[in-house]
Amino acid sequence: MSVFKEELAIIGSGTMGHSIALSASIAGFNVKIWGIDNNDIHRGKQGIDEKLNLLTAYEVVDSNEIKNIKERIYFTNSLRECVNNASFVIEGIPENLYLKQKMFQELDELCSQNVILASNTSGLSPTDIAALALYPERTVVTHFWNPGHLIPLVEVIRGEQTSEQTVNDRLNYLKT
């Protein structure tokens, strides 16, 4: 059995983006987060600090782990840098189909074919989101419940062209 280490990239450092990244980091994953600019990144970092302070106050996270958790999270305003070497990308930009389609079109060009592209949408179709993508078979919706760092529930929705390999092989890995 081969050992696979997921390399996560989160597109968007807003409420859901930084919450998903925090959850992944607490679980031991290294995460890169893309923010649109330095102000967006600053707000994302502030959100993580606030959530970690609260999680520590309620003894959900050991205060001795905060440094390690924060070291596993890397922010950048370069989309290319964020997805470089990623094996799994979760997009968390605003709920606008056009914006998501354009982002998936760009991600499709930046990421190798074996990278899963997921959208954290609560109401848009993965088929519609992947409509402009070259490789729609790797697109899924991973709808994290809000707050993403507290509720251990993710709804996975496949599109009409999502492959079995995308759903079974890789998403099953994340259950561990």
Side-chain angles (χ1 to χ4, degrees):
M1 180 180 202
S2 66
V3 177
F4 179 76
K5 180 68 173 157
E6 199 74 69
E7 294 294 329
L8 297 175
I10 309 295
I11 308 305
S13 59
T15 300
M16 289 308 293
H18 76 259
S19 292
I20 294 166
L22 179 57
S23 179
S25 180
I26 290 170
F29 291 96
N30 291 321
V31 186
K32 292 181 190 172
I33 306 175
W34 174 78
I36 198 161
D37 58 28
N38 289 335
N39 289 331
D40 192 34
I41 289 171
H42 177 73
R43 283 189 300 274
K45 287 179 178 180
Q46 266 188 311
I48 285 175
D49 287 342
E50 291 167 5
K51 287 169 177 65
L52 280 172
N53 288 337
L54 194 60
L55 291 172
T56 302
Y58 283 97
E59 299 178 353
V60 175
V61 171
D62 185 326
S63 61
N64 295 320
E65 286 299 308
I66 289 178
K67 181 178 182 237
N68 293 333
I69 290 167
K70 289 173 76 170
E71 284 177 352
R72 288 190 289 266
I73 301 172
Y74 174 78
F75 284 86
T76 181
N77 61 7
S78 166
L79 187 60
R80 181 177 301 279
E81 180 182 15
C82 185
V83 300
N84 185 42
N85 295 320
S87 57
F88 193 95
V89 177
I90 301 171
E91 163 273 313
I93 64 174
E95 289 287 290
N96 176 296
L97 180 59
Y98 176 75
L99 289 178
K100 288 182 183 288
Q101 286 175 331
K102 296 307 276 179
M103 178 57 74
F104 271 71
Q105 191 174 35
E106 190 169 354
L107 291 171
D108 211 28
E109 293 173 11
L110 290 173
C111 299
S112 66
Q113 279 183 261
N114 64 332
V115 176
I116 293 175
L117 302 180
S119 178
N120 182 54
T121 181
S122 60
L124 298 174
S125 157
T127 302
D128 292 342
I129 291 169
L132 304 178
L134 295 172
Y135 308 106
E137 66 275 4
R138 63 177 171 168
T139 300
V140 293
V141 162
T142 52
H143 174 221
F144 288 75
W145 262 247
N146 192 7
H149 64 290
L150 290 180
I151 301 177
L153 182 59
V154 179
E155 178 182 30
V156 178
I157 304 165
R158 66 184 309 149
E160 290 174 11
Q161 297 178 359
T162 304
S163 72
E164 287 297 316
Q165 182 177 0
T166 296
V167 175
N168 294 328
D169 295 351
R170 298 292 298 293
L171 293 180
N172 284 335
Y173 166 80
L174 292 177
K175 292 179 187 175
T176 59

